[in-house]
Amino acid sequence: MNIKSFVLATLLGLTTPILVNFTNNYTVNAQEENAPIGVFNGDNLSVSLWYENNTYQYFSYSESNRNYIQLSGARLALDSSTERKIFIWYNGEYQYQVAWRPREPNFVRVIIINPRNEIVTNTILTRSDVYY
């Protein structure tokens, strides 16, 4: 075995686990994640969060323009921690985020980012109902 093959094999052996971990989608699992559940409301936005078929679900309704969307399969953001969790859903190039602090369980921050990486919505919603 020549030295180039040995070095290449060593590098691949060391970097592959890192790349696999980096590209992991960090899908939220119902049994593993502590996440907000229920209906959260603001001035003209309502968001429902729940688990169904072992996936984290998102449904929002805007009273101002009567638009709604339902998304499934949240990912946990890489910069989430035990103090602040950020759940992300994708709809095409749009990104829907729910940030939540477990010590403040009755509030969530909803952030919607468009394909140009502009924040369309950034609002705090208050829990109005809980369901299991």
Side-chain angles (χ1 to χ4, degrees), residues 40-73:
F40 297 83
N41 289 306
D43 290 335
N44 63 5
L45 182 66
S46 176
V47 171
S48 299
L49 302 167
W50 75 97
Y51 284 108
E52 184 176 318
N53 296 326
N54 208 29
T55 60
Y56 198 35
Q57 307 286 323
Y58 171 101
F59 178 86
S60 69
Y61 175 75
S62 173
E63 293 175 17
S64 64
N65 58 19
R66 300 181 191 259
N67 286 341
Y68 64 90
I69 189 166
Q70 182 169 344
L71 303 168
S72 176

Side-chain angles (χ1 to χ4, degrees), residues 53-104:
N53 296 326
N54 208 29
T55 60
Y56 198 35
Q57 307 286 323
Y58 171 101
F59 178 86
S60 69
Y61 175 75
S62 173
E63 293 175 17
S64 64
N65 58 19
R66 300 181 191 259
N67 286 341
Y68 64 90
I69 189 166
Q70 182 169 344
L71 303 168
S72 176
R75 297 176 181 177
L76 193 59
L78 293 176
D79 58 346
S80 291
S81 68
T82 56
E83 293 179 16
R84 182 172 184 255
K85 296 177 184 269
I86 302 170
F87 303 93
I88 303 171
W89 292 263
Y90 293 94
N91 180 33
E93 293 185 38
Y94 278 82
Q95 189 178 118
Y96 295 76
Q97 296 183 6
V98 171
W100 178 66
R101 296 178 188 272
R103 72 174 194 264
E104 298 174 358

Side-chain angles (χ1 to χ4, degrees), residues 3-16:
I3 191 73
K4 289 180 184 178
S5 298
F6 181 74
V7 169
L8 181 60
T10 302
L11 285 174
L12 287 174
L14 293 173
T15 59
T16 299

